[in-house]
Amino acid sequence: MSKDLFDAAFAAMQKTHSPYSQFPVGAAIRTSDGRIFSGCNIEVVSYPEGWCAETTALSHFVMGGGGTITEIAVVAEKKAKCTPCGGCRQRLAEFAGPETRLHLCDNNGIVETLTMREIFPYGFDAEVLGKGAA
Ligand code: THU
């Protein structure tokens, strides 16, 4: 059922621009109305200016109209079950709920599924600012 999400993440990974790390990553996001948005990591010669596959996928999600995220898949060619970095966990949590499923993959498909709550407990949230997302 989530095979199409894995396929989208895997296809996105083929578009990676990662000449410095040589570590291709792909990510895909599904919304509750069935749309899929994907992305790859994009590196820059000034290293800190590069960004992750999850962030590219989130950009496509927002520009595509946003919505409710129900599932996320991440695949890295050279590492099975590559987990989103800390910054991407915070970015994903901006748009995903605690029950949103996060699929960790290898090159053949989904290996393990976690929830956002499991991968990002005690994250900083907007409650402390006295406001929800605009
Ligand atoms: N990377 C991602 O795209 N997503 C992750 O979840 C972990 C790391 C990228 C960033 C960088 O381009 C490369 O992997 C090596 O750190």
Side-chain angles (χ1 to χ4, degrees):
M1 161 182 117
S2 302
K3 168 88 164 64
D4 58 342
L5 199 66
F6 166 76
D7 288 343
F10 192 83
M13 184 172 69
Q14 310 313 314
K15 298 188 174 174
T16 185
H17 177 72
S18 50
Y20 309 107
S21 72
Q22 301 280 334
F23 190 81
V25 185
I29 289 168
R30 194 199 309 276
T31 57
S32 56
D33 57 2
R35 289 168 298 144
I36 290 177
F37 300 97
S38 64
C40 63
N41 54 331
I42 301 175
E43 298 180 351
V44 175
V45 63
S46 177
Y47 297 166
E49 304 306 330
W51 62 91
C52 292
E54 295 90 331
T55 296
T56 307
L58 280 170
S59 300
H60 285 147
F61 159 76
V62 170
M63 292 308 293
T68 301
I69 299 179
T70 56
E71 282 181 278
I72 302 157
V74 179
V75 60
E77 189 181 288
K78 294 178 178 168
K79 185 182 186 347
K81 297 204 287 181
C82 178
T83 49
C85 77
C88 284
R89 292 178 200 202
Q90 185 78 55
R91 292 189 194 98
L92 290 166
E94 180 74 20
F95 302 100
E99 303 308 327
T100 300
R101 285 167 293 160
L102 172 68
H103 304 295
L104 308 179
C105 307
D106 65 12
N107 288 303
N108 298 308
I110 294 167
V111 175
E112 186 175 347
T113 298
L114 302 168
T115 62
M116 281 300 295
R117 190 198 304 283
E118 288 173 309
I119 197 109
F120 193 54
Y122 303 108
F124 182 75
D125 70 39
E127 208 176 304
V128 73
L129 300 179
K131 53 181 108 171

